[in-house]
Amino acid sequence: MDLRHLRYFVAVAEEGNITRAAERLHIAQPPLSRQIQQLEEELGVSLLVRGSRPLTLTEAGQFFYSHARQMLSQTRELASMTKRIGTIKRSMSIGFVASALYGMLPKIIRRFRAEHNTIALSLHEMSSIEQISALKEGKIDIGFGRIRYEDPNVRRIVLREEALVVALPQEHPLASKATLSLLDILNETLIFFPQAPSPNFADQVLAGFRDYGLEPTKIYDARDLQVAMSLVAAAEGLTLVPGSVQQLKREDICYRPLSERKMVSPIILSTRLLDQSKEIELLIKMIYRIYEEDNIEYIRH
Ligand code: BEZ
């Protein structure tokens, strides 16, 4: 017995007449009668009272009819729900620190939208620490930050580590040097950012100085990266930024590498610990694919 038998029997029961049922089913009458007969033979019971006009159902026929109707309607629902799940618009909400915009983030987003156009993306700028609570509250599904922050409910992957560079006014005397050391800039006004919340990139840079036993003397706290860069352009001081920020080209600012190799800023991907959604895995795979294609050094896990 298959679904076709159920459809045929329901049509006969509802029409009370083989000819009309055959018309409704768009088939000829003899094959319909044969199928009903086969069904009765298979079940070993009569479903129709022979010779009745209109055709009436035996007790077994009534039982079979009501269950067959239910099963057919469940089958239709199964088909429509499956179609909906297949075409449903999926979404992923991404939190990121502003400096990630100078790295690979724009390319990753463009590529993801092009390759997975059924997944709606939304982007939210926020600090690394804000990303942790936003993940736990379900406001974002994935975060790109720069601070190593331990949380038992968050999975953290360090994607790569970017060398820090010094951004300084074009006319600054230190601009004549090809490479700068922390000692070179120690007594300059250093513009740190952001101001809050802690721990943040400013804490990371300060900790970097301290790892070399150095303590900057003149610190200016800027609200964010943009403000820090504008203050450098105004010749108010120097700032340290992740290497990718060099994409930001201005006539009044130049960049110099640091000789201290350990002065780096990581790019950290965070997700909820138990979130195994397909969208996240697709994005992670895409990031590594882009690193490979663009020959970008990354941390293999
Ligand atoms: C990157 O620059 O490597 C990067 C930035 C944001 C998200 C993912 C990767």
Side-chain angles (χ1 to χ4, degrees):
M1 189 197 326
D2 55 36
L3 281 176
R4 192 176 31 135
H5 287 110
L6 303 191
R7 275 197 306 117
Y8 287 1
F9 182 75
V10 166
V12 171
E14 289 177 352
E15 296 298 334
N17 180 296
I18 292 277
T19 313
R20 280 202 303 275
E23 278 167 15
R24 172 169 145 184
L25 293 165
H26 306 292
I27 57 169
Q29 187 185 328
L32 176 57
S33 302
R34 264 201 311 280
Q35 293 287 330
I36 300 294
Q37 239 172 349
Q38 267 177 15
L39 181 61
E40 289 183 313
E41 277 165 21
E42 191 182 331
L43 293 170
V45 289
S46 295
L47 299 172
L48 299 170
V49 179
R50 298 279 164 231
S52 58
R53 263 179 224 288
L55 275 174
T56 51
L57 306 183
T58 61
E59 196 184 340
Q62 280 167 12
F63 176 86
F64 189 80
Y65 167 69
S66 67
H67 285 272
R69 259 184 65 128
Q70 258 179 34
M71 284 177 72
L72 288 175
S73 116
Q74 279 170 1
T75 310
R76 277 191 297 274
E77 277 169 20
L78 176 65
S80 69
M81 280 190 317
T82 308
K83 271 191 211 145
R84 221 179 111 234
I85 284 168
T87 54
I88 211 162
K89 217 170 163 62
R90 292 174 292 157
S91 66
M92 181 162 50
S93 183
I94 300 174
F96 62 94
V97 288
S99 64
L101 285 174
Y102 298 99
M104 303 305 292
L105 188 59
K107 182 170 188 173
I108 290 164
I109 299 299
R110 278 199 312 274
R111 176 82 78 86
F112 195 84
R113 282 199 205 279
E115 289 187 18
H116 305 285
N117 59 7
T118 56
I119 304 175
L121 295 184
S122 61
L123 299 172
H124 310 272
E125 196 239 317
M126 56 180 78
S127 71
S128 306
I129 297 307
E130 283 165 345
Q131 288 175 23
I132 304 296
S133 42
L135 277 170
K136 292 198 279 185
E137 288 161 16
K139 291 186 185 150
I140 60 169
D141 304 300
I142 190 159
F144 295 108
R146 292 199 176 265
I147 305 297
R148 289 185 163 84
Y149 189 83
E150 292 292 340
D151 188 294
N153 296 313
V154 172
R155 168 171 71 139
R156 207 178 57 184
I157 304 172
V158 179
L159 294 173
R160 64 186 182 108
E161 287 186 319
E162 275 194 89
L164 295 187
V165 297
V166 184
L168 67 167
Q170 191 69 256
E171 307 298 325
H172 196 285
L174 286 175
S176 60
K177 297 187 84 171
T179 302
L180 294 173
S181 69
L182 291 182
L183 214 48
D184 288 329
I185 61 171
L186 190 64
N187 293 315
E188 299 290 329
T189 299
L190 294 178
I191 302 167
F192 280 12
F193 64 91
Q195 277 167 346
S198 257
N200 55 30
F201 181 68
D203 300 314
Q204 203 171 58
V205 174
L206 192 58
F209 274 93
R210 289 177 179 157
D211 284 347
Y212 287 93
L214 302 171
E215 194 68 34
T217 50
K218 286 173 272 170
I219 292 179
Y220 183 110
D221 286 314
R223 189 163 51 90
D224 56 30
L225 170 67
Q226 267 73 29
V227 175
M229 295 301 277
S230 301
L231 288 168
V232 173
E236 285 296 298
L238 321 181
T239 190
L240 289 169
V241 289
S244 55
V245 175
Q246 292 175 91
Q247 297 237 15
L248 186 63
K249 293 193 185 7
R250 293 181 57 141
E251 278 179 2
D252 39 18
I253 292 181
C254 63
Y255 301 93
R256 295 292 177 264
L258 268 179
S259 48
E260 286 82 0
R261 299 268 159 219
K262 287 197 189 133
M263 290 295 280
V264 293
S265 172
I267 296 179
I268 301 168
L269 178 156
S270 306
T271 62
R272 284 177 287 278
L273 188 66
L274 299 176
D275 191 342
Q276 302 204 316
S277 72
K278 212 169 114 207
E279 292 78 17
I280 291 176
E281 288 317 307
L282 285 172
L283 184 66
I284 295 175
K285 281 206 184 99
M286 173 170 290
I287 293 171
Y288 287 125
R289 200 164 4 115
I290 291 177
Y291 285 162
E292 290 281 347
E293 286 169 10
D294 292 4
N295 266 327
I296 291 176
E297 209 176 298
Y298 63 93
I299 299 174
R300 287 158 208 267
H301 295 277

